[in-house]
Amino acid sequence: MTGSSVPSVPSVPSASDASDARFDTLVAGAGTVSVDGWDFSWLDGRATEQRPSWGYARAMADRLARAGAALDIQTGGGEVLASAPVLAPLTVATESWPPNIARATALLHPRGAAVVADSDEPPLPFADRAFDLVVSRHPVTAWWGEIARVLAPGGTYFSQQVGPESVFELVEYFLGPRAPEERGARDPRRARDDAEAAGLEVTDLRAERLRIEFLDIGAVVYFLRKVIWMVPGFTVGAYLPQLRSLHREIEEKGPFVAHSSRFLIEARKPEQPPAGLR
């Protein structure tokens, strides 16, 4: 009787192997896509976020249509400003990051708006009383003295800003518990006090916490690459163990839930400054 070999049976990938393969694919895709500008459409189908009830872009557009000279501080890629159907006859935007400057220029120059490269630190490169409307969505810092300086008497500052402990569930997953002073930063009440100290009258102040769901690990990687101050110095290599752990958690339990914090502030420069600020 001659010997015969037993046919080999193809190995079936384990559930763990399949999960690891999905992880590699998701992370590779999210790690190479461009994060220029402030357009988050890549996250469609990968993450969800509630929007504030006040509708900042719509309200900003209404004010721009009635303004004579408007300034958008820290415009990002210009996407929000460009969404307004009508711009003020004189519209200027500032931005500090070179890729965003190029993107904003491409979007806004055809609309007749100028984009000015600026360091996002005082002073603003404009004369006193230059604008009757100043807007800003999610500024890193609101330099209230400069805002008050460039506003004309009777002018308005209108801004949506990031509030305290925004997306801290995700931040603390990677960095651990944050100190109380970090948790208390960006308090809207402090913004109101700082605006009033600069001589402005706060006419509206609202705050909301909004649910975010990250549906896969690629969404997390993309978000942390784009919103660079959440986990400073984030790279996939530096946080690979945490990313793998979070990937398994999402696959086993469903979306990772966090909460963004937003506040709306509107302030007016009086026709006549208070006596102490003259």
Side-chain angles (χ1 to χ4, degrees):
M1 182 175 181
T2 59
S4 61
S5 60
V6 178
S8 61
V9 178
S11 60
V12 178
S14 67
S16 177
D17 290 339
S19 179
D20 287 346
R22 288 192 296 272
F23 175 85
D24 292 340
T25 299
L26 290 167
V27 168
T32 56
V33 68
S34 172
V35 291
D36 292 349
W38 209 238
D39 176 8
F40 284 81
S41 60
W42 190 86
L43 289 175
D44 291 349
R46 298 174 178 270
T48 64
E49 181 182 5
Q50 287 181 291
R51 296 301 180 188
S53 61
W54 49 76
Y56 174 78
R58 181 180 63 253
M60 177 202 69
D62 177 67
R63 286 157 177 78
L64 282 167
R66 294 182 277 114
L71 169 65
D72 183 21
I73 298 175
Q74 298 177 26
T75 195
E79 296 90 351
V80 178
L81 184 59
S83 72
V86 178
L87 299 181
L90 173 63
T91 299
V92 182
T94 65
E95 175 56 32
S96 62
W97 195 39
N100 276 350
I101 294 169
R103 187 181 183 91
T105 298
L107 275 177
L108 296 172
H109 271 204
R111 301 284 306 277
V115 179
V116 176
D118 179 63
S119 65
D120 289 342
E121 294 184 353
L124 285 167
F126 307 106
D128 297 358
R129 306 182 175 192
F131 302 98
D132 53 83
L133 176 66
V134 176
V135 299
S136 189
R137 182 179 181 272
H138 300 176
V140 177
T141 302
W143 301 103
W144 290 104
E146 282 297 286
I147 292 164
R149 180 183 66 79
V150 301
L151 273 175
T156 296
Y157 176 71
F158 185 69
S159 177
Q160 178 177 294
Q161 302 194 13
V162 176
E165 300 181 27
S166 190
V167 202
F168 262 38
E169 297 94 337
L170 187 64
V171 171
E172 293 188 331
Y173 192 97
F174 288 89
L175 300 180
R178 301 292 84 198
E181 57 269 22
E182 188 174 346
R183 285 187 164 277
R186 309 188 72 89
D187 191 313
R189 295 168 296 184
R190 187 174 304 161
R192 178 190 59 207
D193 293 344
D194 291 344
E196 291 175 346
L200 302 176
E201 298 173 348
V202 175
T203 58
D204 195 3
L205 182 64
R206 288 178 264 173
E208 294 180 358
R209 288 190 68 79
L210 305 152
R211 183 182 176 93
I212 297 176
E213 293 185 355
F214 294 94
L215 307 183
D216 65 47
I217 198 63
V220 173
V221 170
Y222 177 85
F223 181 80
L224 294 179
R225 290 182 60 228
K226 195 173 186 76
V227 190
I228 57 176
W229 52 88
M230 287 290 175
V231 179
F234 172 83
T235 64
V236 170
Y239 290 94
L240 191 58
Q242 294 95 321
L243 289 168
R244 288 193 181 279
S245 175
L246 183 53
H247 169 68
R248 289 192 293 271
E249 183 176 322
I250 291 172
E251 292 213 324
E252 293 169 5
K253 300 179 181 178
F256 182 86
V257 177
H259 295 84
S260 63
S261 177
R262 300 286 182 264
F263 68 89
L264 181 79
I265 185 165
E266 187 166 21
R268 178 180 177 274
K269 185 173 182 177
E271 295 289 349
Q272 295 294 329
L277 295 176
R278 293 178 186 173

